[in-house]
Amino acid sequence: MDVLKIATAGSVDDGKSTLIGRLLYDTQSLTDDKLEAIERNSKRKGFDYLDFSLATDGLVAEREQGITIDVAHIYFSTRRRSYIIADTPGHVEYTRNMVTGASTAQASIILIDARKGVIEQTYRHFFINNLLRVKHIIVAVNKMDLVDYDQSVFDKIKADFEALNAKSSYVEQEITFVPISALKGDNVAKHSTEMPWYNGESILAHLEHLKPEVQQDSAMRFPVQTVIRPKKDEFHDYRGYAGKIYGNSLKVGDAITVLPSLTQSKIKSIQFFDKEYSEAVAGSSVTISLEDDINVARGDMFVKSDEVPQQSKELLASICWMDGKALVPGSKYEIQHNSNRILAKIDSIQGVVATDFSGDKTDAGKLTINEIGQVRLKLSKPLFHDSYEKNKAAGSFILIDTQSNTTAGVGFIN
Amino acid sequence: MSTILKPNALESESIYIFREVVAQFENPVLLFSGGKDSITLVRLAQKAFYPAPIPFPLLHVDTGHNFPETIAFRDKLVEELGLNLIVRHVQDAIDEGKVTEETGKYSSRNILQTTTLLDAIEEFKFDACIGGARRDEEKARAKERIFSVRDDFGQWDEKNQRPELFDLLNGKIEHGQNVRVFPISNWTELDVWNYIHTENIEIPSIYFSHPRKTFVRDGLIWSASEHVYKEEDEQVLERIVRFRTVGDMTCTAAVESEAETILQIVEEIKLSTISERGARIDDKRSEAAMEKRKQQGYF
């Protein structure tokens, strides 16, 4: 079945967990034992309503503090498709986890408290979705029950958000506004009778019809993960290149170039398990054989010969910094770009980007945790890459701290 | 031959993860319990490396309280696919005095598995342990990364997890650390069953309806076995049951069921109002039972 990946974003107490709980509840995805646990713990805490955050906040520290610290993945399904929701934290200090959650999302739900309207946190949430180029955005104006389901409140928030969107350079983004009450269930999975002035769909109905973007208009990229060489007599000369296809599809007979060696060959066969295919579309994890016996290793990338990406020993990228140790010019990191790892040196930080769409850049000597900056990197070897805009897989990378081994930052190539 | 491959997104993602493990680690192992999730992992691993054999061994941490059907199935699978199976026994850790057997009404060897697992990791110097945990199972597991770093004590630092972005999996670790890898993180119970059905994968007989000697405690159906503590007044009856998960006998409750085929199981799960782990006695110990076990190195 079709799987849709969604991320949620919202400030503390905007009701993200309640919204997710409501979606689970209204789609009959909460089993009795889980519901009973929520009822029992809600009662124990003295609440007169069901605290759905108890279903999503999986860590003791989260339940103690009543906040979401790290991404939780929540699953539910309807007859139409399966959903995976990355429930991401709203706190500024957990921006890195929000980026983590949104990185694989095909759609995002941004929550706004109807009483508070568009606030600085909203800017940040929307900015991150923009940066990651999440195409489908649902702006859920929550707690409409607390403003008497007043249309003018909703209209004002919608106008404010649209003004924000006007400053964004990502014009293909599709934004839908839905007035909801997650607590009462208005316009979450069912159309609300409280807001007759709203003619649009409920959040769930919108998700059901949403066609996720596949970057099929972007060039085919096939990073080689591993080389398969069976040590069996019947496959004595077999050499298969295992990897996942990104961008466009791949056909037998396609003329390809192997990067970085620039060796030319043709696709001899596309295999998936014990079957062969003439063509495979993006998202397929396949094994490929080439017409020619050439030297290919992990970290190499196959591209179609008429779609060779740019090559450079320098990169300019937006980087979201995720490590407690600040990013400073002159420091060295390992860069992981698909299956390829090379050393990178931070050449300069061109500025910390304000996440309020003002376009302001602050000159800074460093990039600290949860900041987003424009950074120039020098590479130890030339890297074939796309801009993130053109190809998400070949346009993104992570920076690995060579001492702690942690993933210290994520980059989006300009 | 003019067929176009349109991938099953979940299967394709899992295969990608398996290939990253083999490329990034020197000494991976697949943690195999004989349950449906680890059986699914075996099929996915076969697909990831075909026509080469699965390039890592299987490790079974045997509590000694397993269902005999599961052990028979395990041995048959290993034989048929020519897999390399390592078995380590919880009983050995008990005999060596490393762990103490629990006593009383809720005694179980489930928690004791952790010591045996950590010992095996050290013995074989495994740097990646592939497991069949799914994020939909339990709320602490919903927080789990696909590549989850454990320190040299096997501990999970849940508040300081490595960010995981796009398909970029970072498996770099210090000597002594290991990574727990969860290729079917994004699958649900129903996804697993549907896959077992479409792929026609064989599973142990205890998943299907059968008569069994059982007793009821705390609303759960327990297997009446020499390994399971039973009070005098707890009455043993033969019931028609099946198991929804396969742990050891002391922590896995049965459900009453008539399901004899995979399709009937799928239908039953769709209609069920109880979660998969609702029949796991080990999760009932406290609100944070799984999180606590994971912090100590449990798989």
Side-chain angles (χ1 to χ4, degrees), chain A residues 165-181:
Chain A
N165 187 35
K167 295 181 193 167
S168 154
S169 60
Y170 181 24
V171 290
E172 303 92 50
Q173 202 164 40
E174 287 169 12
I175 305 174
T176 310
F177 297 87
V178 189
I180 66 163
S181 164

Side-chain angles (χ1 to χ4, degrees), chain A residues 32-33 70 75 246 283 334, chain B residues 12 143 167 172 186 273 275:
Chain A
D32 288 356
D33 54 324
D70 204 343
Y75 302 77
Y246 296 93
E334 204 165 358
Chain B
S12 194
K143 294 280 173 182
D167 279 350
K172 289 197 74 164
N186 282 326
T273 56
S275 75

Side-chain angles (χ1 to χ4, degrees), chain A residues 13-289:
Chain A
D13 295 331
D14 278 354
K16 282 193 307 295
S17 301
T18 311
L19 172 65
I20 292 168
R22 173 56 69 177
L23 273 170
L24 296 177
Y25 185 73
D26 283 358
T27 54
Q28 279 89 45
S29 306
L30 270 181
T31 50
D32 288 356
D33 54 324
K34 287 187 181 166
L35 199 57
E36 274 162 25
I38 292 169
E39 280 168 356
R40 196 169 54 239
N41 289 307
S42 297
K43 217 176 265 174
R44 194 185 294 160
K45 290 189 165 186
F47 299 153
D48 56 359
Y49 56 90
L50 293 182
D51 181 8
F52 285 122
S53 67
L54 296 166
T56 58
D57 286 341
L59 304 175
V60 172
E62 294 179 318
R63 291 192 293 274
E64 276 171 4
Q65 298 172 46
I67 57 162
T68 308
I69 294 172
D70 204 343
V71 182
H73 290 84
I74 317 287
Y75 302 77
F76 73 95
S77 58
T78 60
R79 235 176 265 168
R80 203 178 177 97
R81 58 166 45 133
S82 299
Y83 294 92
I84 304 176
I85 306 184
D87 178 22
T88 69
H91 283 73
V92 180
E93 60 263 42
Y94 301 122
T95 299
R96 63 183 203 139
N97 291 334
M98 196 159 47
V99 175
T100 298
S103 75
T104 51
Q106 295 156 314
S108 261
I109 302 175
I110 297 178
L111 271 106
I112 295 178
D113 186 329
R115 298 167 305 171
K116 294 179 191 157
V118 174
I119 55 169
E120 206 192 323
Q121 277 288 76
T122 317
Y123 298 161
R124 179 181 284 267
H125 297 146
F126 186 45
F127 188 89
I128 288 169
N129 277 295
N130 260 271
L131 180 70
L132 286 154
R133 296 189 100 73
V134 178
K135 186 163 181 180
H136 301 276
I137 306 282
I138 298 170
V139 177
V141 179
N142 191 22
K143 307 196 183 183
M144 286 301 292
D145 54 316
L146 299 180
V147 294
D148 298 326
Y149 298 105
D150 184 350
Q151 185 182 359
S152 66
V153 173
F154 175 73
D155 288 345
K156 165 87 170 62
I157 291 171
K158 190 177 168 192
D160 287 349
F161 200 95
E162 277 168 346
L164 198 63
N165 187 35
K167 295 181 193 167
S168 154
S169 60
Y170 181 24
V171 290
E172 303 92 50
Q173 202 164 40
E174 287 169 12
I175 305 174
T176 310
F177 297 87
V178 189
I180 66 163
S181 164
L183 193 70
K184 304 269 164 84
D186 296 290
N187 291 334
V188 176
K190 287 176 230 154
H191 200 273
S192 169
T193 50
E194 302 283 353
M195 291 171 274
W197 46 267
Y198 174 71
N199 300 319
E201 291 175 314
S202 68
I203 288 181
L204 184 65
H206 183 73
L207 292 172
E208 294 273 85
H209 301 142
L210 192 145
K211 286 201 181 69
E213 180 199 29
V214 236
Q215 279 197 328
Q216 271 167 356
D217 52 342
S218 61
M220 194 288 297
R221 303 290 180 237
F222 185 83
V224 175
Q225 287 185 274
T226 182
V227 181
I228 294 177
R229 299 226 48 183
K231 291 180 181 70
K232 291 181 189 169
D233 275 349
E234 54 173 320
F235 296 105
H236 193 72
D237 294 319
Y238 183 93
R239 192 190 283 185
Y241 306 107
K244 192 168 155 188
I245 301 171
Y246 296 93
N248 216 327
S249 67
L250 185 66
K251 292 187 195 68
V252 169
D254 278 346
I256 61 121
T257 298
V258 181
L259 305 177
S261 68
L262 294 170
T263 320
Q264 310 276 328
S265 189
K266 271 189 178 158
I267 302 292
K268 187 167 125 193
S269 74
I270 301 169
Q271 301 131 45
F272 179 66
F273 196 31
D274 52 0
K275 290 194 180 62
E276 293 205 3
Y277 295 84
S278 57
E279 185 179 350
V281 303
S284 313
S285 283
V286 292
T287 307
I288 285 168
S289 300

